[in-house]
Amino acid sequence: MHHVVKIGFGVALSLMMLTSVAQADDFKLSNNQRISCSRGLSAGKLNTATCRSYAYLFNARTSEYFRCQVSLALTRDNKEVINVQADGGCTKKPRIFDTDGNYSFDATETEPPNTNSFFGPGGYAIWASDNNTQKIRGCITISSGLGSDISKCLDMTFQ
């Protein structure tokens, strides 16, 4: 009888673990990271180079995503590196789809300064699709130049 209780407890524990795994979030990194660099040059003086890179982390179950940025600034003179600074972090963005599901995504970003960037540091596009149905949504976010970003999503139609 003692073995039956142990086996029953083991089966119950296994089912609980499978349920929690089935409901777990599935985070995926975008396949389309970008990097942009700029330099400030002055003859005989300090030179500064700054590079920024962006990536997106997507929750494939909820369609929430994070926009992540890392930057590195290097200052040097003609003989040595004087200063190195790095910064970065991720900002949570809203869901693309209202309901949980099984989604795929990709992202792309303008590389400032860019001639396509009329109002500010540029923008980015997110594409997300439902892995179980023929459903895709495209979202574009651009800087308004007035302190807030403008973002719109559109469901694609199939012809």
Side-chain angles (χ1 to χ4, degrees):
M1 185 66 164
H2 183 64
H3 292 295
V4 172
V5 172
K6 280 186 176 180
I7 292 171
F9 181 71
V11 169
L13 185 61
S14 296
L15 287 174
M16 286 176 27
M17 289 180 68
L18 284 175
T19 302
S20 66
V21 168
Q23 294 177 357
D25 290 342
D26 185 13
F27 291 98
K28 297 183 179 181
L29 183 65
S30 63
N31 295 321
N32 199 6
Q33 298 85 25
R34 296 280 190 233
I35 185 169
S36 64
C37 297
S38 62
R39 290 191 318 183
L41 299 175
S42 301
K45 297 185 179 178
L46 298 180
N47 298 321
T48 301
T50 303
C51 291
R52 286 187 177 84
S53 182
Y54 303 91
Y56 295 84
L57 184 67
F58 185 77
N59 185 325
R61 184 178 59 84
T62 67
S63 77
E64 290 174 326
Y65 66 98
F66 294 83
R67 181 179 178 271
C68 302
Q69 172 185 328
V70 63
S71 64
L72 175 73
L74 171 99
T75 304
R76 69 175 185 88
D77 62 14
N78 289 334
K79 297 179 183 176
E80 65 181 333
V81 172
I82 296 170
N83 189 17
V84 176
Q85 294 179 333
D87 191 17
C90 296
T91 304
K92 186 177 181 179
K93 301 295 183 175
R95 293 174 76 122
I96 296 173
F97 293 105
D98 293 334
T99 58
D100 288 356
N102 180 12
Y103 301 109
S104 294
F105 86 111
D106 204 356
T108 188
E109 179 135 0
T110 60
E111 298 175 8
N114 187 310
T115 56
N116 296 327
S117 176
F118 298 110
F119 304 111
Y124 60 91
I126 298 286
W127 287 92
S129 65
D130 189 324
N131 291 332
N132 299 321
T133 63
Q134 186 174 326
K135 183 177 184 178
I136 187 168
R137 185 169 287 172
C139 303
I140 293 181
T141 301
I142 63 169
S143 171
S144 69
L146 302 173
S148 61
D149 291 345
I150 304 298
S151 182
K152 293 291 181 185
C153 294
L154 183 65
D155 287 330
M156 299 294 110
T157 57
F158 296 88
Q159 299 175 2

PDB file of all heavy atoms in Angstrom, residues 143-156:
ATOM      1  N   SER A 143       9.316  58.225 -33.385  1.00  0.00           N
ATOM      2  CA  SER A 143       9.376  59.348 -32.461  1.00  0.00           C
ATOM      3  C   SER A 143       8.627  60.525 -33.080  1.00  0.00           C
ATOM      4  O   SER A 143       8.831  60.858 -34.244  1.00  0.00           O
ATOM      5  CB  SER A 143      10.836  59.733 -32.203  1.00  0.00           C
ATOM      6  OG  SER A 143      10.892  60.937 -31.481  1.00  0.00           O
ATOM      7  N   SER A 144       7.748  61.165 -32.313  1.00  0.00           N
ATOM      8  CA  SER A 144       6.995  62.311 -32.824  1.00  0.00           C
ATOM      9  C   SER A 144       7.828  63.578 -32.797  1.00  0.00           C
ATOM     10  O   SER A 144       7.472  64.575 -33.431  1.00  0.00           O
ATOM     11  CB  SER A 144       5.728  62.521 -31.998  1.00  0.00           C
ATOM     12  OG  SER A 144       6.066  62.965 -30.687  1.00  0.00           O
ATOM     13  N   GLY A 145       8.917  63.573 -32.042  1.00  0.00           N
ATOM     14  CA  GLY A 145       9.703  64.782 -31.870  1.00  0.00           C
ATOM     15  C   GLY A 145       9.134  65.694 -30.805  1.00  0.00           C
ATOM     16  O   GLY A 145       9.678  66.751 -30.524  1.00  0.00           O
ATOM     17  N   LEU A 146       8.024  65.301 -30.196  1.00  0.00           N
ATOM     18  CA  LEU A 146       7.356  66.102 -29.173  1.00  0.00           C
ATOM     19  C   LEU A 146       7.355  65.413 -27.816  1.00  0.00           C
ATOM     20  O   LEU A 146       6.544  65.731 -26.954  1.00  0.00           O
ATOM     21  CB  LEU A 146       5.911  66.400 -29.603  1.00  0.00           C
ATOM     22  CG  LEU A 146       5.766  67.128 -30.934  1.00  0.00           C
ATOM     23  CD1 LEU A 146       4.309  67.215 -31.345  1.00  0.00           C
ATOM     24  CD2 LEU A 146       6.388  68.513 -30.842  1.00  0.00           C
ATOM     25  N   GLY A 147       8.229  64.445 -27.629  1.00  0.00           N
ATOM     26  CA  GLY A 147       8.358  63.790 -26.337  1.00  0.00           C
ATOM     27  C   GLY A 147       7.698  62.435 -26.219  1.00  0.00           C
ATOM     28  O   GLY A 147       8.000  61.679 -25.322  1.00  0.00           O
ATOM     29  N   SER A 148       6.764  62.101 -27.101  1.00  0.00           N
ATOM     30  CA  SER A 148       6.124  60.787 -27.012  1.00  0.00           C
ATOM     31  C   SER A 148       6.226  60.082 -28.354  1.00  0.00           C
ATOM     32  O   SER A 148       6.251  60.717 -29.409  1.00  0.00           O
ATOM     33  CB  SER A 148       4.654  60.933 -26.606  1.00  0.00           C
ATOM     34  OG  SER A 148       3.957  61.685 -27.577  1.00  0.00           O
ATOM     35  N   ASP A 149       6.295  58.766 -28.302  1.00  0.00           N
ATOM     36  CA  ASP A 149       6.347  57.965 -29.516  1.00  0.00           C
ATOM     37  C   ASP A 149       4.931  57.716 -30.023  1.00  0.00           C
ATOM     38  O   ASP A 149       3.973  57.666 -29.253  1.00  0.00           O
ATOM     39  CB  ASP A 149       7.017  56.621 -29.246  1.00  0.00           C
ATOM     40  CG  ASP A 149       8.501  56.760 -28.968  1.00  0.00           C
ATOM     41  OD1 ASP A 149       9.067  57.831 -29.263  1.00  0.00           O
ATOM     42  OD2 ASP A 149       9.091  55.792 -28.455  1.00  0.00           O
ATOM     43  N   ILE A 150       4.803  57.543 -31.318  1.00  0.00           N
ATOM     44  CA  ILE A 150       3.531  57.196 -31.941  1.00  0.00           C
ATOM     45  C   ILE A 150       3.661  55.767 -32.442  1.00  0.00           C
ATOM     46  O   ILE A 150       4.616  55.431 -33.142  1.00  0.00           O
ATOM     47  CB  ILE A 150       3.198  58.140 -33.123  1.00  0.00           C
ATOM     48  CG1 ILE A 150       3.191  59.599 -32.673  1.00  0.00           C
ATOM     49  CG2 ILE A 150       1.887  57.735 -33.782  1.00  0.00           C
ATOM     50  CD1 ILE A 150       2.159  59.932 -31.621  1.00  0.00           C
ATOM     51  N   SER A 151       2.705  54.925 -32.067  1.00  0.00           N
ATOM     52  CA  SER A 151       2.758  53.512 -32.426  1.00  0.00           C
ATOM     53  C   SER A 151       1.400  53.070 -32.964  1.00  0.00           C
ATOM     54  O   SER A 151       0.360  53.378 -32.373  1.00  0.00           O
ATOM     55  CB  SER A 151       3.122  52.685 -31.195  1.00  0.00           C
ATOM     56  OG  SER A 151       3.229  51.330 -31.545  1.00  0.00           O
ATOM     57  N   LYS A 152       1.413  52.362 -34.080  1.00  0.00           N
ATOM     58  CA  LYS A 152       0.191  51.814 -34.670  1.00  0.00           C
ATOM     59  C   LYS A 152       0.451  50.401 -35.148  1.00  0.00           C
ATOM     60  O   LYS A 152       1.505  50.104 -35.700  1.00  0.00           O
ATOM     61  CB  LYS A 152      -0.291  52.657 -35.852  1.00  0.00           C
ATOM     62  CG  LYS A 152      -0.773  54.041 -35.489  1.00  0.00           C
ATOM     63  CD  LYS A 152      -2.062  53.978 -34.713  1.00  0.00           C
ATOM     64  CE  LYS A 152      -2.533  55.389 -34.380  1.00  0.00           C
ATOM     65  NZ  LYS A 152      -3.685  55.414 -33.539  1.00  0.00           N
ATOM     66  N   CYS A 153      -0.534  49.531 -34.952  1.00  0.00           N
ATOM     67  CA  CYS A 153      -0.485  48.150 -35.422  1.00  0.00           C
ATOM     68  C   CYS A 153      -1.610  47.918 -36.414  1.00  0.00           C
ATOM     69  O   CYS A 153      -2.689  48.496 -36.286  1.00  0.00           O
ATOM     70  CB  CYS A 153      -0.632  47.165 -34.260  1.00  0.00           C
ATOM     71  SG  CYS A 153       0.747  47.213 -33.089  1.00  0.00           S
ATOM     72  N   LEU A 154      -1.340  47.054 -37.392  1.00  0.00           N
ATOM     73  CA  LEU A 154      -2.329  46.773 -38.413  1.00  0.00           C
ATOM     74  C   LEU A 154      -2.338  45.276 -38.713  1.00  0.00           C
ATOM     75  O   LEU A 154      -1.274  44.681 -38.921  1.00  0.00           O
ATOM     76  CB  LEU A 154      -1.988  47.559 -39.684  1.00  0.00           C
ATOM     77  CG  LEU A 154      -2.949  47.463 -40.854  1.00  0.00           C
ATOM     78  CD1 LEU A 154      -4.296  48.077 -40.492  1.00  0.00           C
ATOM     79  CD2 LEU A 154      -2.365  48.168 -42.067  1.00  0.00           C
ATOM     80  N   ASP A 155      -3.542  44.680 -38.724  1.00  0.00           N
ATOM     81  CA  ASP A 155      -3.683  43.278 -39.105  1.00  0.00           C
ATOM     82  C   ASP A 155      -3.600  43.186 -40.615  1.00  0.00           C
ATOM     83  O   ASP A 155      -4.212  43.965 -41.339  1.00  0.00           O
ATOM     84  CB  ASP A 155      -5.020  42.717 -38.632  1.00  0.00           C
ATOM     85  CG  ASP A 155      -5.047  42.502 -37.122  1.00  0.00           C
ATOM     86  OD1 ASP A 155      -3.987  42.235 -36.548  1.00  0.00           O
ATOM     87  OD2 ASP A 155      -6.129  42.623 -36.533  1.00  0.00           O
ATOM     88  N   MET A 156      -2.837  42.226 -41.115  1.00  0.00           N
ATOM     89  CA  MET A 156      -2.673  42.040 -42.543  1.00  0.00           C
ATOM     90  C   MET A 156      -3.848  41.246 -43.096  1.00  0.00           C
ATOM     91  O   MET A 156      -4.388  40.353 -42.432  1.00  0.00           O
ATOM     92  CB  MET A 156      -1.366  41.295 -42.846  1.00  0.00           C
ATOM     93  CG  MET A 156      -0.110  42.009 -42.399  1.00  0.00           C
ATOM     94  SD  MET A 156       0.187  43.538 -43.286  1.00  0.00           S
ATOM     95  CE  MET A 156      -0.129  44.741 -42.000  1.00  0.00           C
TER      96      MET A 156
END
